[in-house]
Amino acid sequence: MHSAVDVIRAKRDGGELSDAQIDWVVDAFTRGEVADEQMSALAMAIVWRGMTRRETARWTAAMIDSGKRLDFGDLVRPTVDKHSTGGVGDKITLPLSPLVAACGAAVPQLSGRGLGHTGGTLDKLEAIPGWQADLSVDRMRELLADPAVGAVVCAAGADLAPADKRLYALRDVTGTVESIPLIASSIMSKKVAEGTGALVLDVKVGRGAFLKELGQARELATAMVELGTDAGVRTVALLTAMDTPLGRTAGNALEVAESLEVLAGGGPADVVELTLTLAREMLAQAGIDVDPAAALADGRAMDHWRAMISAQGGDPDAPLPGARHTEVVAAPASGTLARLDALDIGIAAWRLGAGRARQGDSVQFGAGIEMHAKPGDTVTAGSPLLTLHTDTPEAFPAALDALRDAFTIGAPPAPTPLILGRITA
Ligand code: URA
């Protein structure tokens, strides 16, 4: 007979939880038998005491078992997905999913909405008139099996890792998000439950990321790769830089427009580099020996994008929503843009209405920031550096306040790589 108090005390005192204790506590929490305050106390004990690889794997398995596990093993094409831990201007899923589908893999991507200064993929796609995030599992399977589509990006159903949904909401309000085993098990329980055969993780590091230091990011990436591997999903992680925003836009419709440039064979160099690097990793994990650069250049990825958007009710030809008001921030001096801070840009875009403060709030599709220069570019005093977009002009002062120290004009920055490391099992 288990008791929540015994499990909390065991972890509080630095003990290792048994498989039976973990299975019981996660299941009893899902059924409402373990109270929110007890689970919060256990989460705090885990923040302080950590969990071993065995405990974390069992915790993840228990969270997967709290709901349904999808299975796309009957598809002819191999399944592979990508997960990013979130960054400013990170629109990579948009060009990447149709690109990888165009190269012969099936991409079942369950995504989330944004909270705080990093945007969510579903918010970006919802900027496309008509596009719907909700799909039944049967429809997902149909679209993944269709060689003209091959990729879906949709909202996770309520029955996918429900223990994680409840636990994450508690962690959010009890200061218990910051724990490598809890973050790793939260992300991986959802990714394993979605039924992908292989997974590429993009773990962001730097000012605009959830993890600011390379050591922490490496630790999280290693924990997630171990969890994926233990659960039978071929998993690899890249550590990628997030000190500067990705690309030249942050904000939902602005990021869709930039993704379309990439799919049309253009777009900012960093977005193209990361899209192709992640596509190569995904195709390698899926066992497909194809160069994704060709599929981007010859329009096949764009064809898959159009099919994928139409299949989810969207009109790929409809004009994207724009914001009603804009304000330009001009360069205060001439020289080289030495620094553009991802966190400040993310917070400003969020204040303009591109993100939400609370779960359930709505976002403004047209809001966000266009960046007319990136670090290393030459700027002239008085020329536009940033354009701020919003429907609610009363948001400008708070956004401008966030941008007070967002950039430096001075000596050219030392070149920094986008890809900082690679973690395999
Ligand atoms: N994202 C998640 O899904 N879970 C966490 O714990 C942190 C980030």
Side-chain angles (χ1 to χ4, degrees), residues 83 85 164 168 171 177 179 182-187 190 210:
H83 176 82
T85 58
D164 175 65
Y168 193 61
R171 289 169 55 214
V177 169
S179 150
L182 289 179
I183 297 168
S185 57
S186 168
I187 292 173
K190 288 173 282 204
F210 170 50

